[in-house]
Amino acid sequence: MGRESPYWRWFVGSAHVGDDPNRTKFSYLPPEHMLYLDHNGPVGLVRSRVLGASFSNFAGVGRLTADFAVLGATHLRYSKINGLRTELPALASWTDLSSVSMEPISNPEGRHLGWDVFLRSPENIRLSRSLNLSLSPSWATENAGHGRSVSVLDRFAITTHRKRPADWGDHPGLHRHIRDLLSISAWRPLGFSRIEVQRLDDPERAMAGNKLGDAWNQVVTSRLPMGSEEPASFDYLFRFSDIGTKGVAAWLRLIKDYHRAMGPLVALLDQKDAYLETRLVQSCIALEALGYQLALEAGRISGRRKREVTYLRALKEIQQNLVVSPLANWKDWQARSNDCYRGTKHPDNDLPDTADQLRTYRENLLVLRYWVAGRLGVGADQLRKEADRGR
């Protein structure tokens, strides 16, 4: 990138430019939305901005970043979209729904001859009126072994859609909220395997230009976590059958109404490399915020004065709002959690033993997750069963 490049001014930062000292003749910022072409086809960038640049006596390299890259975009109007669709592999095991059914084939003598395999997707499941949030089961096949074998895969898409194009707005957030719900149930940082976007005025077209149907273009973004981990071995605290669509709606309200508690809890899922002390304190912050809000809602505090709720009182408030306690000795945990919180935060307190920190952190998470499960409608019998299993 040299002076002959039309883009170099985007990357000069605050440097003085001799031919435009007042910066009135040229633009020094990249377009917020742009379209470019590479060897794989067109790409649309949404909300692009300068990431950095490096220069030498011969040339320079400028780097841009963007909130979203839309592969296959044919125009610049992807700043507004009609729909967003994501695939979350864990949905298949969490919902226990399948598009695949099998029936045995036998001869008149009862000898087993084979199987009939039927592929039929269940109906879409509407989760919320907000952006018409829904789950869309489907299936796909994969050929392997040079045509000698075929794999049938259950696929689940989370879809948000509206008739008129609008800003990306809440689309990614709603998809992430569903991912967070499953992640809290499994206590694993689950990820999406594919992200796609739709604009109704950018349909799929044949080479001749005629419309073939509505297109979903793949999206690359850092706004949503990606991953393809097989969910077959996940142990869920609760499943879709335990909470239903009412429970999902309750979760969407919960993360909004209790954001001071749910925010730190959800963030812990993506902090595997953080220090134990950091994660422990963050789990205590979530507990303290939750207990404070429960006391406020119950009218036991005014919310107009500072330090109305101590950490220990916050834990007692949570205890009163649990459907089932996951802990065998609540008082022991309560005291230990308080000691670990104070000891980790304050240098004038004794630093807790690492084993105590690990145990307390695990129990803190159990209390938070069981409170969430109870609020979503998971029954007491189901939670007792999970508590007996030590989850």
Side-chain angles (χ1 to χ4, degrees), residues 48-65:
S48 60
R49 55 199 177 275
V50 173
L51 184 62
S54 58
F55 296 91
S56 69
N57 292 332
F58 305 99
V61 176
R63 295 179 294 278
L64 295 176
T65 187

Side-chain angles (χ1 to χ4, degrees), residues 177 184 251-268 281-294 296-297 303 305-307 309 311 314 318 341 345 368 371-372:
H177 292 336
I184 285 178
W251 167 248
L252 296 177
R253 292 192 299 270
L254 206 65
I255 53 178
K256 179 181 179 181
D257 297 341
Y258 289 82
H259 65 278
R260 292 287 297 268
M262 295 300 99
L265 173 62
V266 168
L268 283 169
V281 168
Q282 189 162 316
S283 68
C284 293
I285 290 172
L287 288 165
E288 190 169 24
L290 176 58
Y292 176 87
Q293 187 162 347
L294 291 172
L296 188 63
E297 290 177 351
R305 299 191 309 272
K306 293 183 178 180
R307 290 186 286 276
V309 176
Y311 183 69
I318 297 171
Y341 192 18
K345 279 198 311 178
L368 288 163
W371 179 85
V372 169

